[in-house]
Amino acid sequence: ETGVTQTPRHLVMGMTNKKSLKCEQHLGHNAMYWYKQSAKKPLELMFVYSLEERVENNSVPSRFSPECPNSSHLFLHLHTLQPEDSALYLCASSQDRGLEKLFFGSGTQLSVL
Amino acid sequence: SQQGEEDPQALSIQEGENATMNCSYKTSINNLQWYRQNSGRGLVHLILIRSNEREKHSGRLRVTLDTSKKSSSLLITASRAADTASYFCATGSASGGSYIPTFGRGTSLIVHP
């Protein structure tokens, strides 16, 4: 148990659906991250929040919309996704303003039909 | 990009043998981290080595860093079947008060019992 919990673990959705991924950390960290992991590709950084403020938005399509209501929770809202968006979505947290290690959740395996 | 690139992409060995994985990167870094990922799960932090360190040990793990060559290696000694996983290096530096770690594609290690 890493202290970072992601739900759901698996999600199947159609291209017209709207769904949300949830991440919660119990570590007192101030920075939270969304990564996308597709087969045979490097882990892609999507968004970074530091003290609930978005500090990085890595040219992600607008059909992905992050939300960080407080330092313990992070959401990724999904809307009209494409089949190529099928991937493992990983949430992570770390201490802000320090070059610290990341703590990852178990991920949400997303399939877009 | 400071993205680390792991080499080899895949490694297959017998239990008891040593496994060596390499990571190369392009720009100066503050630290380099190694992570492990079991299939379909989140990444787990293994070891962090700072730019002013040359070698670090943790149990059966030994990490080296050569900043002149912009490379690092991860050695797992006396491997076990349970070491079967993907291994990633992450590089990054502090920018604007935030640390953005960037990952490579990883090395897939299979240890045969």
Side-chain angles (χ1 to χ4, degrees):
Chain A
E1 184 62 51
T2 63
V4 179
T5 304
Q6 285 188 246
T7 54
R9 282 285 289 125
H10 302 275
L11 179 62
V12 179
M13 59 186 289
M15 288 190 283
T16 58
N17 291 159
K18 290 183 182 180
K19 297 285 184 183
S20 295
L21 309 184
K22 179 182 176 182
C23 178
E24 184 174 359
Q25 58 98 359
H26 308 278
L27 302 168
H29 290 164
N30 292 326
M32 297 187 77
Y33 311 74
W34 279 118
Y35 283 90
K36 174 184 177 183
Q37 187 175 34
S38 305
K40 299 184 179 179
K41 284 188 176 181
L43 219 61
E44 299 173 52
L45 177 66
M46 300 177 73
F47 302 104
V48 181
Y49 276 82
S50 175
L51 296 171
E52 301 155 42
E53 180 183 344
R54 191 189 307 179
V55 297
E56 185 80 10
N57 180 347
N58 216 17
S59 302
V60 178
S62 60
R63 56 186 183 268
F64 294 92
S65 174
E67 179 190 0
C68 188
N70 56 63
S71 59
S72 298
H73 293 86
L74 184 66
F75 295 90
L76 187 62
H77 303 299
L78 314 173
H79 173 53
T80 57
L81 295 192
Q82 304 298 310
E84 60 264 29
D85 297 322
S86 298
L88 181 67
Y89 289 84
L90 292 164
C91 172
S93 70
S94 71
Q95 279 297 110
D96 196 18
R97 301 198 175 276
L99 305 179
E100 305 291 335
K101 62 185 181 182
L102 299 183
F103 291 77
F104 282 84
S106 296
T108 294
Q109 186 66 55
L110 173 67
S111 296
V112 181
L113 305 179
Chain B
S1 167
Q2 300 186 85
Q3 185 180 74
E5 286 293 337
E6 296 88 350
D7 172 68
Q9 289 187 23
L11 183 59
S12 181
I13 61 174
Q14 294 296 128
E15 210 166 28
E17 294 180 341
N18 295 342
T20 300
M21 289 157 269
N22 303 295
C23 172
S24 59
Y25 56 92
K26 296 177 181 176
T27 62
S28 62
I29 58 171
N30 293 90
N31 68 41
L32 185 143
Q33 303 180 42
W34 284 92
Y35 289 80
R36 168 197 165 119
Q37 183 183 33
N38 284 31
S39 180
R41 308 291 293 184
L43 280 72
V44 176
H45 183 267
L46 295 176
I47 199 163
L48 181 154
I49 186 165
R50 304 192 188 283
S51 59
N52 61 352
E53 297 176 308
R54 292 296 168 257
E55 189 170 313
K56 206 159 182 181
H57 296 255
S58 177
R60 292 183 296 113
L61 306 181
R62 173 180 168 246
V63 168
T64 62
L65 180 64
D66 187 336
T67 52
S68 66
K69 294 181 180 178
K70 292 187 170 54
S71 68
S72 172
S73 68
L74 170 67
L75 169 67
I76 304 174
T77 60
S79 64
R80 305 166 182 168
D83 294 328
T84 295
S86 292
Y87 293 83
F88 296 83
C89 67
T91 58
S93 62
S95 175
S98 297
Y99 173 67
I100 311 296
T102 309
F103 292 80
R105 287 180 174 79
T107 292
S108 176
L109 172 66
I110 297 176
V111 181
H112 300 279

